[in-house]
Amino acid sequence: MEIKAPRGTKDIFGEEVFLWQRLEEAVHRNAFLFGYREVRTPIFEYTELFARGVGEETDIVQKEMYTFSDKGGRSLTLRPEGTAPVVRAYLEHGFFVREPRVKWYYIGPMFRYERPQAGRMRQFHQFGFEALGFQEPACDAEIIALAWTIYKELGLLDLSLELNSIGCPKCKPRYIGALTGYLEEEKEALCENCLLRLEKNPLRVLDCKAEKCQEVFRRPSFPVIQDFLCEECREHEERLFRLIEGLGISFVLNPRLVRGLDYYTKTVFEIKVKTLGAQDAIGGGGRYDGLSQVLGGPEVPGVGFAAGMERIVLLLEKSGVSFAQPPFFYLAPQDEKGEEILLSLSQQLKGLNIPFYLDFAAKGLRYHLKRAQKMDIRFVVIVGEEERKSKAFSLKDMASGEQTLVSLEGLVEFWRRERTAC
Ligand code: AMP
């Protein structure tokens, strides 16, 4: 039987690769401009990191982790998200002492055992920014601005930013109490999943998409966290809102936004796109001032953001943009001697930063011309017996059909001219 890629994973090739590279380039460049430095953590970690750092009662830990024992009997998990590993690395390498305020970013694959559908994969990719050691609301604003800048630069349209605060250990429990009290009275109006969530982690109820539950959330009497925030959380939120407005980014306050991970405090936010259907979130994040302590470290404030790259690439594909860059010359040898000449020409072209594609002599000219056309390469360099005799190259323009004999200097000069004409 033919072996296929595992369900929920995919191969990325052809035109799509250029979209990924464009996105990755935008992430690295913007991170550099904003002074964020890359951190690369392992693809797998001890399971306990996520059990503690993401939260025992979350869907991720309960249902979605790829967990296995290695030959030494240790329980390991393919990382389902990037924040807990980044904070683990910060603590492990003593940053708290030597450089408590760091701005970092990451980019790479994540793994969650979810039901695959468009924009929801089991292996997917995220880039994320994490600022550790900063308690200022202005840092929340910077993280949001950074995400927004990248989306905008990529030309994504119809973005919406939703903001909320989920309070801190001082005020969050009061809200959870009120929420639980309300939902206990309305049990018959909730779906079965929410009845379970209500027992284990009532805040998760707000994540439910079932229409039945959504109706309950929309009631004017439904308790919202905004009415329970303490003075400190309210001030933090008000300053953040002012800063975001000042940056010219419009947002809506969504008092029901809690997001799926347990470690958030104060700010939570999500960026959505109208055109993506059910999987409309292209990124989200928030403040996680309690995470370091949950992982056994000192008190370290933190704020971060993670973006789903598959969904961004889907949007780029839908918009019809192309970042494809075909090689400039197609090198088509007619025989083995031609191969030798073109192999050595390829070294010279490389030295001059001229992109080329070299094929070999087992195929005839007709094949090469067709292939060049298919690869969208306009200029073909041919070497056969005739070219060898005249110590030159034939240069064929696929657009006009014209063919001329040129020297090496002629080829390079031609490339320079064409490149400046573009
Ligand atoms: P989260 O870590 O759950 O806050 O997710 C951050 C972003 O990652 C989401 O807004 C999505 O864009 C993306 N994402 C999360 N889970 C998946 C998945 N299974 N497949 C593709 N993208 C995902």
Side-chain angles (χ1 to χ4, degrees), residues 26-28 30-32 34 36-37 83 86 103-106 127-131 143 146-147 150 286 288 303-307:
V27 173
H28 290 299
N30 280 287
F32 173 75
F34 279 74
Y36 282 67
R37 297 291 170 251
T83 304
V86 165
K103 293 185 177 185
W104 283 348
Y105 77 102
Y106 60 83
F127 65 85
F129 297 90
E130 313 288 354
I143 288 273
L146 185 40
I150 294 177
Y288 46 84
V303 55
F305 165 81

Side-chain angles (χ1 to χ4, degrees), residues 8 60 64 80-83 106 110-115 117-127 151 259-261 263-264 269-271 276 279-285 305-312:
I60 291 184
E64 296 172 0
E81 60 95 46
T83 304
Y106 60 83
M110 306 291 161
F111 307 85
R112 292 183 198 171
Y113 191 77
E114 295 194 88
R115 206 151 46 89
Q117 50 187 277
R120 200 205 274 170
M121 310 283 294
R122 289 182 174 169
Q123 175 176 321
F124 61 100
H125 298 74
Q126 285 185 338
F127 65 85
Y151 291 143
R259 298 187 38 76
L261 314 182
Y263 50 62
Y264 286 107
F269 64 94
E270 202 149 68
I271 298 177
L276 267 183
Q279 306 304 319
D280 59 353
I282 53 168
F305 165 81
M309 297 174 73
E310 274 73 9
R311 295 183 193 176
I312 299 174

Side-chain angles (χ1 to χ4, degrees), residues 55-186:
E56 287 280 7
E57 302 304 337
T58 55
D59 279 358
I60 291 184
V61 173
Q62 289 282 314
K63 302 187 225 156
E64 296 172 0
M65 295 208 300
Y66 279 91
T67 297
F68 58 96
S69 297
D70 72 2
K71 290 192 177 8
R74 302 168 196 92
S75 179
L76 299 171
T77 292
L78 299 185
R79 61 180 187 195
E81 60 95 46
T83 304
V86 165
V87 175
R88 197 256 319 127
Y90 173 93
L91 295 174
E92 184 169 338
H93 301 290
F95 275 88
F96 179 67
V97 179
R98 60 180 161 124
E99 199 187 336
R101 282 154 82 89
V102 296
K103 293 185 177 185
W104 283 348
Y105 77 102
Y106 60 83
I107 184 163
M110 306 291 161
F111 307 85
R112 292 183 198 171
Y113 191 77
E114 295 194 88
R115 206 151 46 89
Q117 50 187 277
R120 200 205 274 170
M121 310 283 294
R122 289 182 174 169
Q123 175 176 321
F124 61 100
H125 298 74
Q126 285 185 338
F127 65 85
F129 297 90
E130 313 288 354
L132 295 165
F134 299 86
Q135 74 278 19
E136 301 89 337
C139 194
D140 308 24
E142 180 185 64
I143 288 273
I144 293 171
L146 185 40
W148 197 258
T149 306
I150 294 177
Y151 291 143
K152 284 283 173 189
E153 190 187 295
L154 290 165
L156 304 191
L157 302 171
D158 296 325
L159 300 178
S160 69
L161 168 65
E162 292 184 3
L163 282 173
N164 193 21
S165 172
I166 55 161
C168 65
K170 268 186 275 165
C171 51
K172 203 174 176 180
R174 274 192 293 150
Y175 174 62
I176 294 177
L179 178 70
T180 314
Y182 187 91
L183 294 174
E184 287 287 349
E185 297 290 311
E186 302 295 334

Side-chain angles (χ1 to χ4, degrees), residues 327-333 342 345 349 355-360 363-365 367-383 394-396 398:
F328 189 80
F329 287 125
Y330 184 107
L331 310 184
L342 287 179
L345 173 69
L349 294 178
F356 58 86
Y357 176 84
L358 170 65
D359 209 320
F360 305 98
K363 297 283 184 189
L365 187 59
Y367 165 89
H368 287 311
L369 295 181
K370 263 201 192 146
R371 180 114 176 89
Q373 203 161 30
K374 201 149 185 227
M375 290 177 72
D376 212 18
I377 307 179
R378 184 168 161 193
F379 303 107
V380 181
V381 178
I382 305 161
V383 175
S394 280
L395 176 62
K396 187 174 177 76
M398 299 291 287

